[in-house]
Amino acid sequence: MVCDTSRFYIAEEQEAGVRVGTLRRDFPPPFKLLNLNYLWVDKSTGDLYTAEHKMDRETLCPEETMAGECIIPHNAIVGPSGDLVRFHVVVEDVNDNAPRFENIEIRLSLLEDIEVGSSVPLDDGATDRDSGANGELQYDLQDPDGVFCLSVEKGAVVSLVVQSALDRELQDTFRMSLVATDGGSEPLSATATLIIDVMDVNDNCPRFVSDSPQSVTVPGDATRGTLVTQVRATDPDLGPNAAIIYSLSPKVSERAKNLLSLDGLTGHVRLTLNLQADSAEELVLHVLASSPHCPPADTQVTVSVLRSTRHTPEIKIGFIAEHENQTILLRENLPPTILALLEVRGNSGLGDSCLIIKGEVPFTLSPQNGKYLLSTSRPLDHEMKGEYLISVGFSGAKTGGHTVDTGSGLEIRVLVLDVNDNIPQFLRPHYHLEVEENKPPTGSLLTVRATDADSGPNGRVTYRLGKYTAAIFRMGSQTGQLSVTVPLDREQQDVHTISVLARDNGSPPLESLTTVSIRVHDQNDNAPAFVTPHFIFFIPENLPPLAHVGRIGVTDADEGENGGVEVRVVNTTAPFVMDNARGMLRCTTNVDRETVDRYELHLLATDHGHPAPLTSVAKVTIFLEDVNDNQPRVILPDSNLSCLTVSPATAAGTMVTKIYATDEDSGLNSEITYTVAAQEPPPHSSPFRLDSRSGNITLTQRLLGTDLGMHHLFIVVSDGGKPAPLHTAVWVNLLVNETLEPCHLDSLPRSLPYRLAQTPSEASVCDAKYAHLMLLAGLGTMLASICLLCVTAVLYLKQKRGLRGNGRGKEDENSIPLSHTKRHYDE
């Protein structure tokens, strides 16, 4: 029969021994639970109590964690008839779980033109494994700027509400703390960082800067491609929203359009023709700066073209090296190289003159058939200087015997192009870092940085980890930030040495190396571990006090104080103590197997860790092995003076009496044998026989007239102990008589020969001494003779003492009633 009516309620995480309820209310005793994992029952009262194993509601009922009851069915056998009943235990929630955010950083991106009052759902909310009020969460947003607040809608949907207008150009990032608190009586909370990234929208238009030129002057003999000016406008937006296109207004004259060009991306204004202006003129440029969805901004630039001076010598340049837009492009590190061929035109009337380079620059001019070769004087280094402006002029001209300064010349621009001739250089050759183990893998451990003296792609550095670095480490290729994917565990590895390579983007690329040493600091995250959860030892019961019982093996994977372990015996009065210095379990007092044959105790291992020590428990079972420390004890007969009357008519084979003895030892030490050590009359005429195993005394033959009278049997009771058995002796007195009257002895017989009454223990002592003397006899005939005489004398004296003792010493020991009918019998 299965009943399913009773229901009990208990809060989770209760300690052992808490009363839950009683089955006695609904069922009769006795009581027995079929499942003892979490409860135990008093079989008489039916009271239910919590067991050692605590109930964790979130573990027992994971599906009902957030809502619903956690019901654990139990079966029990009750009543005299052993009925099977079922009852339910409802595990009630306590607030033992704090809220938890899946990510400790929550990022949201909002457009800067989002309307005030708009709400954005927060998908990365917190969770709480508790139920009911303990699992209901409330959120608080700690925003020091007051730009945002929280809104909680039906269904516990949390949204972020914009309270003030956003402007990315004023602030592009907001960092706040989002706190989730549960509804427990002692509430628990968790905090996550909420990061709001304000995304750009095209809400700004281009404007010309104040330093954009309003007027410029151009020499009347300027050549094609000459940079006249550059207009510049800005847009505070980002990316495509900040793109600016420059163009000329339709109002610009055709003369200006033919003479000047405007670069739509850079705002550069250049000459499209060589000037030979006979008169000065002014050109007005109306420049527009446009971006999508914005009206164009405009500015006006006045270009004044000066009159050209006729008959002024002119320096013409013919480029030999690579060039672009009248600029020589030269790779660094080249040996002295010819760059251009210069020629002077229109120098009639100047007399003797020559071209020179003004200033100290690494360039030379060499005359060549009336012309000049411009070349470098040494290899150029882009990292020292990337651009040169060579000013070429006349050294002087003589006219009419006077030196005349022509005042004219040429400026040649040389760009030194970078080549990948510098390897990245780390700021430090080696990095040292110390990290606590088990630290969550958030953020970066450290940032390495390398610089490259090259420019452009040749100087752009990326980072990577060495080939043999553990997979748990990650390196930001652009940022140089070193991070881990999982918490570090000191017990797996206490020092990590990582190779970090910095590589530039040159062709071919160059690399350099640094190392990062990470020392992982220990935390007390490992409880002591016994080598086995259950130690079993066997000790002899005669173990002396403070002798060791066995070695207790326990280790702790932590280091330092966290790994120091102390073991002690708990919750027991057993006579055992732990010797931590040697790792030994010791016995404190004498133990007796016949009193207690085994001990069950528990060991508690505690480390010295901080902030809180960790513990573990092991069970110890100690079995006491028997030693032969108890003599046999005769139960029957109970007195050496007891007497049993046997009828002459007793049939042969009849058991007339029984010797019964016990031994408190075990095993061979408790196996008892019975031996007739002496008897009267002598054995050849005795009609009685003793069974050495059972102790039964039987009649071996039909009793005759010669058997009438008293028969004394001196019986030795021996155990099977090794190396030497223990003995007890008893007299069995049998009176063969026609009249079955009660008999009783007043004294023990004194006429038995000592050699028969000698106990086996005495015989073994004599045998041992005799064997020892026989060994010495081999050393010499004379010595052997003397020893044998000594032994003979000793044996003679012992026999005399033994005969006197047998008549007096055991009258009151181990007497046993051999019959319910007794009579006095006097020899």
Side-chain angles (χ1 to χ4, degrees):
M1 179 179 68
V2 177
C3 299
D4 193 359
T5 58
S6 299
R7 176 174 288 207
F8 302 95
Y9 293 84
I10 184 172
E12 63 172 327
E13 303 294 346
Q14 293 292 327
E15 298 292 334
V18 176
R19 186 176 182 274
V20 179
T22 182
L23 294 174
R24 186 68 179 265
R25 184 182 58 193
D26 300 316
F27 307 105
F31 303 92
K32 180 181 180 182
L33 281 182
L34 298 184
N35 185 351
L36 300 176
N37 286 343
Y38 302 103
L39 298 177
W40 64 273
V41 66
D42 188 308
K43 65 180 181 180
S44 300
T45 65
D47 290 343
L48 294 169
Y49 298 92
T50 55
E52 294 291 337
H53 198 284
K54 292 183 179 181
M55 295 184 180
D56 184 11
R57 181 183 182 276
E58 290 73 35
T59 302
L60 294 172
C61 304
E63 299 299 329
E64 291 80 18
T65 297
M66 300 304 294
E69 290 184 332
C70 177
I71 301 175
I72 308 299
H74 284 71
N75 295 319
I77 297 176
V78 302
S81 59
D83 293 334
L84 177 65
V85 299
R86 176 178 294 171
F87 62 92
H88 294 111
V89 176
V90 181
V91 183
E92 298 178 323
D93 185 57
V94 298
N95 192 24
D96 59 342
N97 290 280
R100 180 179 178 272
F101 286 97
E102 183 176 354
N103 299 308
I104 62 172
E105 279 192 0
I106 303 174
R107 280 189 173 272
L108 287 179
S109 297
L110 301 178
L111 292 174
E112 62 177 322
D113 62 348
I114 188 172
E115 293 184 4
V116 174
S118 299
S119 62
V120 180
L122 293 178
D123 297 330
D124 295 334
T127 59
D128 194 314
R129 298 182 65 199
D130 294 321
S131 65
N134 296 331
E136 294 178 357
L137 301 181
Q138 295 182 350
Y139 293 88
D140 178 41
L141 183 65
Q142 298 176 358
D143 179 14
D145 300 320
V147 178
F148 302 94
C149 66
L150 292 179
S151 171
V152 181
E153 303 174 1
K154 292 183 179 180
V157 177
V158 182
S159 299
L160 183 71
V161 180
V162 180
Q163 296 189 121
S164 303
L166 304 181
D167 188 347
R168 187 205 62 81
E169 287 73 36
L170 295 178
Q171 186 171 352
D172 60 355
T173 302
F174 294 87
R175 298 179 70 91
M176 298 159 283
S177 294
L178 180 62
V179 180
T181 306
D182 61 25
S185 59
E186 294 182 1
L188 304 175
S189 63
T191 302
T193 301
L194 179 61
I195 302 174
I196 307 298
D197 294 319
V198 183
M199 308 301 292
D200 185 60
V201 297
N202 194 15
D203 58 347
N204 290 280
C205 292
R207 290 185 301 173
F208 282 98
V209 296
S210 59
D211 59 351
S212 184
Q214 301 296 314
S215 61
V216 294
T217 301
V218 180
D221 53 359
T223 59
R224 176 185 175 184
T226 300
L227 178 63
V228 176
T229 188
Q230 180 184 17
V231 294
R232 192 162 65 89
T234 60
D235 190 324
D237 293 324
L238 291 177
N241 295 332
I244 299 175
I245 302 298
Y246 299 98
S247 61
L248 293 176
S249 170
K251 299 178 181 179
V252 175
S253 65
E254 290 297 326
R255 168 65 177 166
K257 291 179 181 180
N258 293 333
L259 189 61
L260 302 171
S261 66
L262 174 64
D263 189 308
L265 297 178
T266 64
H268 287 166
V269 178
R270 295 183 182 274
L271 288 175
T272 59
L273 300 172
N274 293 327
L275 293 181
Q276 287 294 335
D278 294 332
S279 60
E281 64 175 325
E282 285 189 352
L283 301 173
V284 178
L285 296 179
H286 294 277
V287 181
L288 304 179
S290 305
S291 69
H293 313 295
C294 279
D298 66 327
T299 188
Q300 178 176 302
V301 180
T302 302
V303 180
S304 299
V305 181
L306 302 178
R307 183 176 66 85
S308 175
T309 304
R310 296 185 180 276
H311 310 298
T312 300
E314 180 183 3
I315 302 174
K316 295 293 184 179
I317 182 170
F319 292 101
I320 298 175
E322 180 183 357
H323 66 284
E324 181 180 341
N325 295 329
Q326 303 299 310
T327 300
I328 297 174
L329 306 178
L330 181 65
R331 295 179 63 188
E332 65 174 329
N333 301 329
L334 292 178
T337 304
I338 298 175
L339 306 179
L341 181 65
L342 303 183
E343 181 182 359
V344 179
R345 297 180 182 178
N347 60 346
S348 57
L350 289 179
D352 224 359
S353 63
C354 64
L355 294 180
I356 61 172
I357 296 176
K358 300 178 181 180
E360 295 292 332
V361 290
F363 299 93
T364 61
L365 282 175
S366 303
Q368 189 76 22
N369 298 326
K371 299 179 181 180
Y372 297 88
L373 291 177
L374 176 65
S375 61
T376 58
S377 61
R378 57 177 171 81
L380 303 183
D381 188 350
H382 171 82
E383 286 71 42
M384 293 183 62
K385 190 171 184 179
E387 180 178 357
Y388 292 90
L389 195 61
I390 306 172
S391 180
V392 180
F394 296 96
S395 62
K398 290 185 179 180
T399 302
H402 301 280
T403 300
V404 180
D405 185 3
T406 62
S408 62
L410 176 67
E411 286 189 342
I412 304 171
R413 186 165 173 254
V414 177
L415 290 181
V416 182
L417 302 181
D418 183 55
V419 297
N420 195 25
D421 59 342
N422 290 279
I423 65 172
Q425 296 289 333
F426 282 97
L427 300 183
R428 294 164 60 182
H430 187 78
Y431 293 82
H432 296 274
L433 179 64
E434 295 184 350
V435 179
E436 291 284 344
E437 69 171 328
N438 304 323
K439 181 180 180 182
T442 57
S444 63
L445 299 179
L446 84 162
T447 300
V448 298
R449 187 164 183 268
T451 59
D452 194 313
D454 295 322
S455 63
N458 296 332
R460 193 175 303 124
V461 178
T462 57
Y463 305 90
R464 66 182 179 90
L465 296 176
K467 181 178 180 181
Y468 299 105
T469 303
I472 61 173
F473 292 98
R474 293 286 183 270
M475 171 61 67
S477 61
Q478 303 297 326
T479 62
Q481 291 183 342
L482 178 66
S483 59
V484 290
T485 59
V486 296
L488 298 179
D489 187 352
R490 189 206 65 81
E491 286 70 43
Q492 292 186 3
Q493 189 170 345
D494 59 348
V495 176
H496 298 267
T497 301
I498 302 169
S499 298
V500 180
L501 291 95
R503 181 188 182 107
D504 61 26
N505 289 334
S507 180
L510 301 176
E511 279 187 335
S512 62
L513 174 73
T514 190
T515 57
V516 179
S517 295
I518 301 176
R519 177 171 294 278
V520 185
H521 284 185
D522 184 57
Q523 286 187 336
N524 192 26
D525 58 343
N526 289 278
F530 288 96
V531 295
T532 175
H534 188 185
F535 292 89
I536 299 177
F537 300 111
F538 295 85
I539 62 173
E541 62 176 322
N542 62 350
L543 190 73
L546 297 182
H548 76 266
V549 175
R551 182 173 296 279
I552 302 298
V554 61
T555 60
D556 194 312
D558 294 318
E559 67 176 356
E561 289 191 353
N562 294 334
V565 180
E566 181 178 344
V567 183
R568 60 188 177 93
V569 181
V570 295
N571 299 333
T572 184
T573 58
F576 299 97
V577 68
M578 189 64 201
D579 180 358
N580 283 287
R582 295 174 176 81
M584 290 289 185
L585 184 66
R586 296 187 181 275
C587 182
T588 58
T589 62
N590 292 318
V591 290
D592 185 7
R593 189 204 64 80
E594 287 71 39
T595 303
V596 179
D597 62 350
R598 71 172 181 177
Y599 292 92
E600 301 277 353
L601 53 136
H602 289 84
L603 299 178
L604 178 68
T606 306
D607 62 24
H608 300 152
H610 297 285
L614 301 179
T615 61
S616 61
V617 177
K619 182 179 179 181
V620 179
T621 301
I622 302 171
F623 293 95
L624 271 62
E625 296 179 320
D626 186 56
V627 296
N628 195 23
D629 59 346
N630 290 279
Q631 289 181 328
R633 187 168 66 91
V634 177
I635 306 298
L636 294 174
D638 62 354
S639 172
N640 285 323
L641 300 177
S642 299
C643 180
L644 173 66
T645 302
V646 181
S647 172
T650 304
T654 302
M655 184 183 77
V656 297
T657 188
K658 178 181 178 68
I659 309 299
Y660 180 69
T662 62
D663 193 314
E664 293 182 352
D665 294 320
S666 65
L668 291 175
N669 296 330
S670 66
E671 292 185 1
I672 295 176
T673 58
Y674 304 90
T675 306
V676 178
Q679 63 185 38
E680 186 181 89
H684 60 83
S685 61
S686 176
F688 300 102
R689 183 179 64 187
L690 172 66
D691 187 288
S692 63
R693 289 294 182 184
S694 65
N696 296 335
I697 299 177
T698 58
L699 187 63
T700 61
Q701 61 190 24
R702 184 169 176 270
L703 295 173
L704 303 175
T706 57
D707 296 322
L708 294 175
M710 180 64 69
H711 294 260
H712 300 284
L713 303 179
F714 183 66
I715 297 174
V716 175
V717 184
S718 305
D719 61 23
K722 300 293 182 180
L726 301 179
H727 313 281
T728 301
V730 66
W731 286 94
V732 176
N733 307 297
L734 302 174
L735 175 63
V736 180
N737 192 23
E738 294 285 351
T739 304
L740 300 179
E741 296 180 2
C743 70
H744 187 75
L745 298 183
D746 294 328
S747 63
L748 295 176
R750 296 180 174 83
S751 59
L752 292 175
Y754 175 73
R755 62 181 181 85
L756 296 177
Q758 187 181 44
T759 65
S761 61
E762 293 170 334
S764 63
V765 172
C766 295
D767 291 343
K769 291 184 177 179
Y770 183 76
H772 179 64
L773 292 175
M774 290 299 294
L775 178 62
L776 296 177
L779 300 177
T781 303
M782 183 181 295
L783 182 61
S785 299
I786 295 174
C787 292
L788 288 174
L789 289 174
C790 294
V791 171
T792 302
V794 171
L795 290 176
Y796 175 75
L797 293 175
K798 279 194 170 184
Q799 283 182 344
K800 292 186 67 177
R801 287 197 297 269
L803 288 173
R804 289 196 297 267
N806 288 337
R808 301 190 303 268
K810 300 188 177 179
E811 293 182 356
D812 297 328
E813 295 178 2
N814 300 329
S815 61
I816 179 170
L818 300 181
S819 171
H820 293 290
T821 60
K822 300 181 180 179
R823 71 184 183 92
H824 291 281
Y825 181 81
D826 191 356
E827 293 182 315

